Amino acid sequence: MIPVHQLKAFTKQVFLKIGFSDADADLATTVLVQADLRGVDSHGVARLAGYVRLYDHGRLNPTPAIQVVHETPSTAVVDGDRGVGLVVGPKAMQIAIEKARVAGTGWVAVRNSNHFGIAGYHAMLALEHDMIGMTMTNAAPLVAPTFSLDKLLGTNPIAVAVPALTQPPFVADFASTAVAYGKMEILQRKGQEAPLGWAQDAQGQASTDSNPIKNGGALLPLGSDREHGSHKGYGLGAIVDIFSGVLSGANYGPWVPPFATAGFMAAQEGVGAGTGHFFGAMRIDAFRPADEFKQHMDNWIGAFRNARAVEGKQVLIPGDPERDMEAERGANGLPLIEPVMQSLRELAERFGVEGLDG
């Protein structure tokens, strides 16, 4: 169990060592560790070594000149200059929020970025402004559309954050696949099989292989197969890819470059610039008075919380599990499995940064 402050201090030092400014190192660290705090271990410090490998391969610019390259009063396209998405993402979301202040809604498409961590972090930035936040990103092609043997889409997550008055906010944050690839990586590190429905083999048959990509297989869309609605997950992933990639001028479909942890994949950039994201902010009072809306959100949440549940279960509101985990881990520290600890020790040795073992 690693105390949060200790993990943050270590992570920031690594980002500083590869050339980040102090402010950007702070921001990247906050986004990354927030994933661990919220229980999304697949997108937390387990990815730190991957960001360093992106830097090593010349695909991550530690001092990007992030700029708006096209805009209207309510929209913008941002070029991330190959910056880390942990920094590009929050800055683009702030642009969307500022657009919404003026126009009621703000929409920002991003190109030439990299992996941006958990989508929910960026969506939640809108909450303190009495706005609804929405974020999405495309990702490397690990996913076979329904009936396909070819990998054409990423796990392509979507997040929406909605404020309430006295209730905690509604925060939905999910991949458009049966599972995020990071969860497969965790199973790989533990030497465990994957549940049936997460992946298919090279022949398109359901597989429990936790490393299907290396063996010619693919991850499956949300729904797993056609009979269970995989065409809907495929549709969601396609929407994210079009908004994030085609609309922004980033790479899309099979051309989205792999994250560095997927070292077995060859980058096929060529139709756009880097990875793409999409951000939205909607000012609630552009639709109805904010407090009135939030009172009704309290009512909406209360109705779901009070729903009759099957024995031994409880109806949860999106965001509840992550919020509970954040409270627990904030107090007790973050559990890191041994392979992740080993990757951090290697970074500590490489950069001369104080480790996490004592």
Side-chain angles (χ1 to χ4, degrees):
M1 299 294 290
I2 308 299
V4 176
H5 69 88
Q6 189 175 349
L7 190 60
K8 282 186 172 181
F10 176 86
T11 302
K12 179 179 178 179
Q13 286 302 309
V14 172
F15 283 128
L16 289 172
K17 290 289 186 179
I18 61 173
F20 281 40
S21 69
D22 190 77
D24 283 358
D26 262 335
L27 180 55
T29 295
T30 296
V31 180
L32 201 61
V33 176
Q34 189 71 15
D36 289 301
L37 276 169
R38 291 178 68 80
V40 191
D41 298 341
S42 57
H43 285 56
V45 294
R47 297 258 180 183
L48 183 57
Y51 292 114
V52 173
R53 283 196 291 275
L54 280 177
Y55 167 78
D56 288 341
H57 295 155
R59 290 177 47 206
L60 188 155
N61 179 1
T63 56
I66 301 166
Q67 60 181 326
V68 174
V69 294
H70 180 77
E71 66 180 323
T72 72
S74 62
T75 67
V77 176
V78 168
D79 189 295
D81 193 26
R82 294 183 299 110
V84 67
L86 303 171
V87 172
V88 177
K91 293 184 178 182
M93 188 61 182
Q94 290 299 336
I95 294 171
I97 290 168
E98 291 306 315
K99 295 279 185 185
R101 288 190 202 279
V102 175
T105 66
W107 304 97
V108 176
V110 176
R111 68 188 186 210
N112 208 10
S113 184
N114 280 294
H115 190 275
F116 78 175
I118 53 171
Y121 177 90
H122 312 293
M124 291 170 68
L125 293 175
L127 294 174
E128 63 185 279
H129 303 285
D130 276 350
M131 296 182 188
I132 294 170
M134 179 186 301
T135 62
M136 56 189 78
T137 184
N138 65 12
L142 303 173
V143 182
T146 303
F147 301 138
S148 175
L149 293 178
D150 293 329
K151 296 178 283 293
L152 297 170
L153 289 171
T155 52
N156 294 9
I158 302 168
V160 177
V162 184
L165 193 62
T166 60
Q167 291 279 1
F170 171 104
V171 182
D173 181 359
F174 56 94
S176 56
T177 48
V179 66
Y181 185 68
K183 290 185 171 59
M184 285 293 218
E185 291 178 317
I186 290 172
L187 292 180
Q188 293 163 21
R189 294 184 186 110
K190 293 180 177 179
Q192 297 176 356
E193 289 190 334
L196 202 63
W198 284 15
Q200 67 181 31
D201 63 20
Q203 289 72 46
Q205 301 301 309
S207 171
T208 58
D209 184 2
S210 64
N211 208 339
I213 314 301
K214 285 185 178 179
N215 299 316
L219 296 185
L220 290 170
L222 187 63
S224 299
D225 56 36
R226 179 63 174 80
E227 289 70 26
H228 293 92
S230 68
H231 57 293
K232 299 177 183 179
Y234 166 29
L236 284 172
I239 290 167
V240 172
D241 197 37
I242 292 166
F243 279 33
S244 300
V246 182
L247 192 60
S248 70
N251 289 292
Y252 48 81
W255 296 280
V256 180
F259 186 63
T261 52
F264 51 86
M265 297 179 65
Q268 298 185 62
E269 297 187 58
V271 296
T275 298
H277 320 307
F278 189 78
F279 302 88
M282 295 180 282
R283 209 175 71 212
I284 290 168
D285 66 5
F287 298 88
R288 68 187 297 189
D291 280 352
E292 180 182 285
F293 169 85
K294 291 193 290 184
Q295 286 173 352
H296 281 278
M297 275 303 300
D298 279 1
N299 192 47
W300 188 96
I301 291 169
F304 282 73
R305 287 203 194 285
N306 295 326
R308 292 180 301 138
V310 299
E311 186 176 354
K313 301 294 183 181
Q314 177 186 359
V315 178
L316 298 174
I317 307 302
D320 281 350
E322 294 88 347
R323 189 165 38 252
D324 292 344
M325 185 67 75
E326 186 172 359
E328 176 190 327
R329 290 185 169 185
N332 301 321
L334 302 171
L336 301 181
I337 62 175
E338 180 54 31
V340 173
M341 283 297 299
Q342 182 56 36
S343 75
L344 298 182
R345 291 187 195 107
E346 291 169 1
L347 291 175
E349 182 176 357
R350 170 178 170 179
F351 294 116
V353 176
E354 185 178 348
L356 298 169
D357 290 320

XYZ file of all heavy atoms in Angstrom, residues 39-44 47 115 117-119 137 139-140 142-143 153-158 173-189 194-195 197-199 209-213 218-222 261:
398
model
N -9.982 3.766 -8.451
C -10.067 2.333 -8.668
C -9.905 1.902 -10.108
O -10.100 0.731 -10.441
N -9.513 2.842 -10.988
C -9.289 2.498 -12.402
C -7.799 2.228 -12.565
O -7.060 2.986 -13.204
C -9.778 3.622 -13.332
C -9.795 3.144 -14.789
C -11.164 4.109 -12.929
N -7.336 1.127 -11.957
C -5.903 0.832 -11.894
C -5.270 0.685 -13.268
O -4.071 0.940 -13.440
C -5.673 -0.452 -11.092
C -6.158 -0.328 -9.655
O -6.325 0.814 -9.176
O -6.379 -1.371 -9.010
N -6.066 0.306 -14.257
C -5.540 0.103 -15.607
C -5.053 1.402 -16.237
O -4.279 1.378 -17.191
C -6.625 -0.516 -16.496
O -7.783 0.308 -16.520
N -5.513 2.556 -15.706
C -5.155 3.849 -16.307
C -4.335 4.731 -15.367
O -4.158 5.913 -15.624
C -6.421 4.599 -16.730
C -7.042 4.045 -17.971
N -7.414 2.730 -18.090
C -7.355 4.621 -19.157
C -7.936 2.527 -19.287
N -7.896 3.657 -19.957
N -3.837 4.144 -14.282
C -3.075 4.911 -13.311
C -1.577 4.773 -13.512
O -1.086 4.724 -14.649
N 0.572 2.877 -16.025
C 0.857 3.404 -17.361
C 2.076 4.331 -17.392
O 2.485 4.769 -18.472
C -0.346 4.200 -17.859
C -1.612 3.376 -18.030
C -1.841 3.042 -19.458
N -3.032 2.252 -19.687
C -3.395 1.803 -20.868
N -2.636 2.069 -21.914
N -4.478 1.081 -21.028
N -2.386 9.356 -25.310
C -3.291 8.772 -24.307
C -3.595 9.775 -23.187
O -2.692 10.365 -22.618
C -2.624 7.524 -23.723
C -3.505 6.689 -22.868
N -3.700 6.935 -21.534
C -4.252 5.600 -23.162
C -4.517 6.033 -21.034
N -4.864 5.205 -21.999
N -5.472 9.266 -20.219
C -5.858 8.788 -18.889
C -7.333 8.455 -18.836
O -7.931 8.022 -19.821
N -7.949 8.658 -17.669
C -9.369 8.333 -17.528
C -10.221 9.474 -18.090
O -10.012 10.642 -17.769
C -9.760 8.033 -16.069
C -9.347 9.148 -15.099
C -9.186 6.707 -15.621
C -9.919 8.979 -13.704
N -11.190 9.104 -18.899
C -12.063 10.105 -19.514
C -12.844 10.877 -18.461
O -13.111 12.074 -18.615
C -13.009 9.423 -20.501
N -12.415 9.722 -26.421
C -11.129 9.639 -27.124
C -11.081 8.370 -27.951
O -11.649 7.337 -27.572
C -9.954 9.646 -26.132
O -8.720 9.652 -26.862
C -9.959 8.438 -25.220
N -8.574 5.407 -29.780
C -7.410 4.675 -29.277
C -6.964 3.672 -30.324
O -7.618 3.480 -31.355
C -7.767 3.968 -27.960
N -5.846 3.022 -30.050
C -5.248 2.084 -31.001
C -6.211 0.951 -31.348
O -7.019 0.529 -30.521
C -3.968 1.513 -30.418
N -7.584 -2.258 -31.346
C -7.501 -3.539 -30.647
C -8.817 -4.303 -30.750
O -8.914 -5.437 -30.276
C -7.192 -3.317 -29.162
C -5.935 -2.531 -28.801
C -5.895 -2.273 -27.298
C -4.692 -3.278 -29.240
N -9.816 -3.671 -31.371
C -11.192 -4.159 -31.292
C -11.711 -4.543 -32.669
O -11.593 -3.767 -33.638
C -12.106 -3.075 -30.684
C -13.538 -3.597 -30.540
C -11.565 -2.601 -29.344
N -11.064 -0.637 -34.470
C -11.425 0.393 -33.496
C -10.625 0.220 -32.213
O -10.097 -0.855 -31.929
C -12.918 0.329 -33.157
C -13.902 0.767 -34.229
C -15.323 0.418 -33.799
C -13.775 2.259 -34.511
N -10.565 1.293 -31.428
C -9.980 1.214 -30.101
C -11.050 0.943 -29.057
O -12.225 0.751 -29.377
N -10.646 0.959 -27.808
C -11.612 0.780 -26.714
C -12.486 2.025 -26.535
O -13.529 1.963 -25.902
C -10.881 0.469 -25.397
O -9.873 1.468 -25.178
C -10.225 -0.893 -25.450
N -12.060 3.152 -27.084
C -12.851 4.357 -27.319
C -13.870 4.701 -26.221
O -15.076 4.549 -26.413
C -13.556 4.228 -28.675
C -12.584 4.210 -29.841
O -11.374 4.120 -29.647
N -13.089 4.306 -31.054
N -13.395 5.197 -25.072
C -14.284 5.470 -23.949
C -15.089 6.761 -24.097
O -14.734 7.660 -24.850
C -13.316 5.588 -22.775
C -12.060 6.113 -23.397
C -11.986 5.441 -24.744
N -16.170 6.817 -23.339
C -17.051 7.978 -23.244
C -17.259 8.280 -21.766
O -17.429 7.363 -20.958
C -18.424 7.691 -23.880
C -18.285 7.279 -25.345
C -19.360 8.887 -23.739
C -19.564 6.703 -25.934
N -18.511 6.721 -16.893
C -17.203 6.670 -17.550
C -16.965 5.221 -17.954
O -16.735 4.368 -17.096
C -16.118 7.165 -16.586
C -14.719 7.176 -17.206
O -14.578 6.780 -18.378
O -13.774 7.581 -16.505
N -17.044 4.934 -19.245
C -16.963 3.536 -19.665
C -16.388 3.402 -21.067
O -16.546 4.295 -21.900
C -18.337 2.875 -19.614
C -19.390 3.580 -20.437
C -19.657 3.200 -21.739
C -20.117 4.624 -19.887
C -20.614 3.850 -22.495
C -21.092 5.289 -20.635
C -21.339 4.901 -21.941
N -15.724 2.285 -21.295
C -15.235 1.959 -22.630
C -16.405 1.498 -23.490
O -17.434 1.038 -22.967
C -14.175 0.867 -22.549
N -16.246 1.608 -24.798
C -17.275 1.115 -25.713
C -17.023 -0.354 -26.062
O -17.643 -0.894 -26.971
C -17.316 1.968 -26.986
O -16.040 2.004 -27.602
N -16.122 -0.978 -25.314
C -15.803 -2.398 -25.478
C -16.259 -3.170 -24.256
O -16.635 -2.592 -23.228
C -14.289 -2.581 -25.656
O -13.614 -1.825 -24.647
C -13.838 -2.104 -27.020
N -16.212 -4.489 -24.357
C -16.594 -5.305 -23.213
C -15.690 -5.028 -22.019
O -16.112 -5.146 -20.863
C -16.538 -6.784 -23.590
N -14.434 -4.611 -22.292
C -13.487 -4.308 -21.217
C -12.402 -3.394 -21.770
O -12.099 -3.441 -22.969
C -12.855 -5.615 -20.666
C -11.998 -6.294 -21.717
C -12.064 -5.375 -19.395
N -11.852 -2.553 -20.921
C -10.705 -1.733 -21.317
C -9.470 -2.622 -21.441
O -9.307 -3.584 -20.676
C -10.461 -0.639 -20.290
N -8.597 -2.302 -22.395
C -7.414 -3.144 -22.592
C -6.520 -3.165 -21.354
O -5.861 -4.164 -21.068
C -6.600 -2.677 -23.806
C -5.437 -3.602 -24.103
C -5.682 -4.895 -24.570
C -4.127 -3.216 -23.870
C -4.634 -5.770 -24.817
C -3.077 -4.081 -24.118
C -3.330 -5.365 -24.585
O -2.294 -6.229 -24.812
N -6.510 -2.068 -20.608
C -5.698 -2.038 -19.395
C -6.058 -3.142 -18.421
O -5.198 -3.645 -17.684
N -7.333 -3.525 -18.389
C -7.737 -4.625 -17.504
C -7.189 -5.948 -18.005
O -6.890 -6.851 -17.215
C -9.262 -4.661 -17.371
C -9.821 -3.499 -16.566
C -11.310 -3.627 -16.337
C -11.804 -2.581 -15.337
N -11.571 -1.201 -15.727
N -7.052 -6.076 -19.314
C -6.392 -7.263 -19.871
C -4.930 -7.295 -19.453
O -4.382 -8.353 -19.123
C -6.490 -7.261 -21.397
C -7.858 -7.629 -21.939
S -8.268 -9.348 -21.581
C -9.110 -9.826 -23.062
N -4.281 -6.111 -19.471
C -2.875 -6.051 -19.068
C -2.701 -6.484 -17.616
O -1.717 -7.150 -17.267
C -2.341 -4.635 -19.267
C -2.214 -4.234 -20.727
C -1.735 -2.813 -20.903
O -2.212 -1.923 -20.170
O -0.873 -2.583 -21.767
N -3.652 -6.118 -16.768
C -3.581 -6.528 -15.362
C -3.684 -8.048 -15.257
O -2.931 -8.694 -14.500
C -4.690 -5.836 -14.552
C -4.376 -4.334 -14.424
C -4.821 -6.462 -13.154
C -5.502 -3.528 -13.801
N -4.592 -8.659 -16.019
C -4.706 -10.121 -16.015
C -3.427 -10.765 -16.538
O -2.978 -11.801 -16.023
C -5.896 -10.561 -16.863
C -7.290 -10.212 -16.339
C -8.355 -10.718 -17.303
C -7.514 -10.805 -14.954
N -2.815 -10.152 -17.563
C -1.558 -10.675 -18.098
C -0.483 -10.675 -17.013
O 0.272 -11.640 -16.862
C -1.109 -9.845 -19.293
C -2.003 -9.964 -20.516
C -1.779 -8.845 -21.520
O -0.728 -8.195 -21.516
N -2.755 -8.594 -22.379
N -0.396 -9.558 -16.266
C 0.622 -9.471 -15.207
C 0.387 -10.512 -14.113
O 1.323 -10.998 -13.488
C 0.611 -8.063 -14.596
C 1.050 -6.960 -15.545
C 1.110 -5.630 -14.825
N 1.381 -4.533 -15.743
C 0.489 -3.605 -16.082
N -0.716 -3.628 -15.556
N 0.803 -2.651 -16.919
N -8.955 -14.448 -19.086
C -9.996 -13.424 -19.158
C -11.372 -14.084 -19.122
O -11.536 -15.215 -19.583
C -9.845 -12.622 -20.448
N -12.364 -13.389 -18.591
C -13.728 -13.927 -18.651
C -14.188 -14.088 -20.097
O -13.799 -13.321 -20.980
C -14.560 -12.850 -17.942
C -13.594 -12.126 -17.068
C -12.296 -12.136 -17.829
N -16.220 -13.604 -23.276
C -16.978 -12.450 -23.734
C -16.146 -11.190 -23.862
O -16.630 -10.189 -24.395
N -14.908 -11.238 -23.392
C -14.034 -10.070 -23.485
C -13.268 -10.041 -24.810
O -12.916 -8.966 -25.284
C -13.021 -10.056 -22.334
C -13.591 -9.635 -21.018
C -14.901 -9.549 -20.680
C -12.843 -9.262 -19.851
N -15.023 -9.144 -19.371
C -13.787 -8.960 -18.843
C -11.492 -9.161 -19.571
C -13.399 -8.549 -17.567
C -11.102 -8.758 -18.296
C -12.049 -8.445 -17.304
N -12.997 -11.211 -25.376
C -12.097 -11.269 -26.534
C -12.491 -12.396 -27.473
O -13.263 -13.300 -27.116
C -10.655 -11.455 -26.066
N -8.355 -16.049 -23.620
C -6.959 -15.599 -23.669
C -6.894 -14.150 -23.172
O -7.599 -13.281 -23.683
C -6.457 -15.695 -25.109
C -4.980 -15.331 -25.258
O -4.328 -15.035 -24.232
O -4.494 -15.336 -26.403
N -6.050 -13.883 -22.179
C -5.919 -12.511 -21.679
C -4.937 -11.695 -22.516
O -4.739 -10.512 -22.269
C -5.482 -12.505 -20.208
O -4.184 -13.071 -20.064
N -4.328 -12.328 -23.506
C -3.421 -11.622 -24.411
C -3.788 -11.963 -25.855
O -2.952 -12.459 -26.631
C -1.970 -12.018 -24.132
C -1.000 -10.909 -24.500
O -1.331 -10.032 -25.297
N 0.186 -10.951 -23.933
N -5.039 -11.684 -26.237
C -5.510 -12.164 -27.537
C -4.857 -11.458 -28.714
O -4.710 -12.046 -29.789
C -7.017 -11.857 -27.497
C -7.122 -10.667 -26.576
C -6.058 -10.906 -25.528
N -4.447 -10.195 -28.539
C -3.932 -9.428 -29.664
C -2.641 -10.049 -30.188
O -2.433 -10.164 -31.399
C -3.685 -7.952 -29.262
C -4.868 -7.395 -28.470
C -3.406 -7.109 -30.492
C -6.182 -7.421 -29.180
N -8.667 -10.399 -30.961
C -9.090 -9.013 -30.791
C -9.971 -8.884 -29.561
O -10.565 -9.866 -29.093
C -9.868 -8.537 -32.020
N -10.049 -7.673 -29.031
C -11.058 -7.375 -28.030
C -12.418 -7.283 -28.710
O -12.510 -7.057 -29.924
C -10.753 -6.046 -27.338
C -9.463 -5.943 -26.519
C -9.401 -4.596 -25.815
C -9.351 -7.071 -25.518
N -13.486 -7.441 -27.915
C -14.841 -7.406 -28.450
C -15.555 -6.114 -28.054
O -15.306 -5.557 -26.980
C -15.637 -8.601 -27.930
C -15.200 -9.963 -28.490
C -15.874 -11.091 -27.733
C -15.518 -10.051 -29.978
N -16.459 -5.636 -28.905
C -17.244 -4.452 -28.530
C -18.134 -4.744 -27.325
O -18.386 -5.909 -26.982
C -18.098 -4.186 -29.777
C -17.476 -4.970 -30.883
C -16.808 -6.146 -30.235
N -18.615 -3.695 -26.691
C -19.586 -3.826 -25.607
C -20.766 -4.658 -26.097
O -21.342 -4.378 -27.153
C -20.061 -2.433 -25.195
C -20.955 -2.322 -23.959
C -20.235 -2.793 -22.721
C -21.401 -0.872 -23.789
N 2.584 0.888 -24.250
C 2.530 -0.400 -23.556
C 2.177 -1.520 -24.522
O 2.444 -2.679 -24.254
C 1.510 -0.362 -22.410
O 0.262 0.113 -22.923
C 1.971 0.530 -21.293
